[in-house]
Every structure is written in structure tokens, then in C-alpha cells.
Amino acid sequence: QVQLVESGGGLVQPGGSLRLSCAASGIFVINGMGWYRQAPGQERDLVATITNDGSTDYADSAKGRFTISRDNAKNTAYLQMNSLKPEDTAVYYCNLEGVDTKLRVIEAWGQGTQVTVSS
């Protein structure tokens, strides 16, 4: 069973930084990983994605401030968030698309990690 374990959320002041991590287990091949976020009363929105060849894509709100990266040896994705703003406050979810150890094409989500930007 594929599992995604997220970490790194918390409370930070405006202008501060956080680094989120997402470690995958039970996976055979990872095609792509991404981060999404959901603020209270809002839909879950894309933040950033990264493919298995390292190509990245960002929401306009994340460009220039956030950086997504992957450590393929550790099956782990990261989201470095700088210059955080109060409007970045949300639950951040890790997403993975790939093939599990039973060779099934799967999409998986992490449990979410809270990021709060407030003074």
C-alpha cells in the first residue's frame, strides 16, 4: 500500500520560510509528485509539481517564492517556501502518481500538513 508522510508545516511569521517534506513508501515507480493546498472554505489548488525527469510547474502565486524538488533515491519530494504571506495559510497536501509494488497505476495523497503564516 502506498503511503505518503508529510512533515515540515507549522506557524511562521510573514516573510519567513518553511520546508515541507513528503516521503513515499510502498511505491515501485514514481511518475510525478506535487503539492496542493486548501484554505478553509476553498477548493484544493495546485501549488507545484515535478515530474520524474525534474520538470517543474508552479501556480502563479508560488512562482519566485516556492521551489519544488525531489530526491529520487529517497522517494521524497520537498517544497521550499520563502517570503511567506498570510494568504499562503492552508493545509498543504502531497500528491503522487505512479505504479505501486503490485504494478497498479495509482494516485495517492498525503494526510496534509498545516501551514499558518501570521504575526
Side-chain angles (χ1 to χ4, degrees):
Q1 182 178 357
V2 175
Q3 288 191 323
L4 301 179
V5 178
E6 300 154 347
S7 61
L11 173 64
V12 64
Q13 292 186 342
S17 298
L18 283 176
R19 188 192 194 207
L20 306 183
S21 299
C22 173
S25 61
I27 193 72
F28 181 60
V29 173
I30 298 176
N31 292 325
M33 297 185 76
W35 290 94
Y36 291 71
R37 68 186 183 187
Q38 187 168 20
Q42 303 294 318
E43 295 186 350
R44 190 174 297 187
D45 293 325
L46 171 71
V47 177
T49 59
I50 185 166
T51 65
N52 58 357
D53 65 357
S55 298
T56 59
D57 189 28
Y58 295 92
D60 288 342
S61 59
K63 289 178 181 176
R65 300 187 299 128
F66 295 1
T67 303
I68 189 170
S69 60
R70 273 172 63 172
D71 184 334
N72 291 332
K74 296 181 178 180
N75 287 339
T76 299
Y78 306 94
L79 185 68
Q80 177 66 43
M81 304 186 292
N82 299 327
S83 302
L84 283 162
K85 305 174 183 179
E87 51 263 44
D88 293 319
T89 296
V91 178
Y92 284 69
Y93 295 91
C94 178
N95 174 268
L96 176 151
E97 295 180 350
V99 179
D100 68 8
T101 55
K102 295 184 178 180
L103 303 183
R104 297 173 296 192
V105 176
I106 58 94
E107 180 181 25
W109 290 91
Q111 80 283 0
T113 185
Q114 177 70 45
V115 171
T116 302
V117 184
S118 175
S119 56

